[in-house]
Amino acid sequence: MPRPLGELEDAVMTRVWQWNRPVTVREVLEDLQQERSIAYTTVMTVMDNLHQKGWVRREVDGRAYRYTAVSTRAAYAAALMNEGWAQSDNPAAALVAFFGMMSQDQREALNDAIRIVQRDNPLPAPPPEEGGEGTGARER
């Protein structure tokens, strides 16, 4: 389970995920500077930390690195939700509480996701009952 990203790590990863291409420290820095005052070395350190933690991979490009996300934001969010659910001593109650917090749009997205999972991974048919009809099938 991934540790939740810190505020600056999340700001950096948001750009990496949104741009969906290899990025340099300079590109991330310039975009972040539109919102806040931040030093090149700070962004470089954060991106190096994200690399060390396995969030991004990097390739040498001249005298710099280009960073690429290892997974998607959706996979990150799913892992956080799964970890939160796994921490509960009553998973069913946790799900009920979570579903109760959802907006109508989120519930519709959940229903869509369930339909996709059921379509792509149908449950196997139950095995036929032993004995069958007329052969003394067990009592119910």
Side-chain angles (χ1 to χ4, degrees), residues 4 13 25-26 31-32 41 50 57 74 87-88 94 102 106 131:
M13 284 306 300
V25 171
R26 176 79 46 208
D31 200 60
L32 285 170
T41 54
L50 289 167
R57 67 178 141 274
Q87 301 271 334
S88 174
M102 291 180 154
Q106 290 170 322

Side-chain angles (χ1 to χ4, degrees), residues 9-26:
E9 289 173 328
D10 186 69
V12 169
M13 284 306 300
T14 294
R15 282 145 180 89
V16 175
W17 282 319
Q18 285 176 341
W19 296 338
N20 197 28
R21 61 174 172 76
V23 300
T24 64
V25 171
R26 176 79 46 208

Side-chain angles (χ1 to χ4, degrees), residues 83-132:
E83 178 66 16
W85 185 43
Q87 301 271 334
S88 174
D89 60 350
N90 187 339
L95 283 174
V96 169
F98 180 64
F99 296 157
M101 294 178 205
M102 291 180 154
S103 68
Q104 185 60 38
D105 287 345
Q106 290 170 322
R107 286 189 187 127
E108 289 172 14
L110 174 64
N111 286 329
D112 291 344
I114 290 169
R115 279 192 292 278
I116 290 167
V117 169
Q118 288 174 336
R119 180 195 70 211
D120 294 348
N121 302 301
L123 294 174
E129 289 186 29
E130 291 185 31

Side-chain angles (χ1 to χ4, degrees), residues 4-24 27-29 31-32 35-36 43 46-47 50 55-56 67-74 76-77 80:
L5 295 170
E7 186 259 330
L8 188 51
E9 289 173 328
D10 186 69
V12 169
M13 284 306 300
T14 294
R15 282 145 180 89
V16 175
W17 282 319
Q18 285 176 341
W19 296 338
N20 197 28
R21 61 174 172 76
V23 300
T24 64
E27 291 173 303
V28 174
L29 170 72
D31 200 60
L32 285 170
E35 301 171 359
R36 65 178 90 190
V43 177
V46 169
M47 294 185 81
L50 289 167
W55 286 105
V56 294
Y67 294 84
T68 308
V70 169
S71 66
T72 64
R73 182 180 270 295
Y76 167 67
L80 290 177

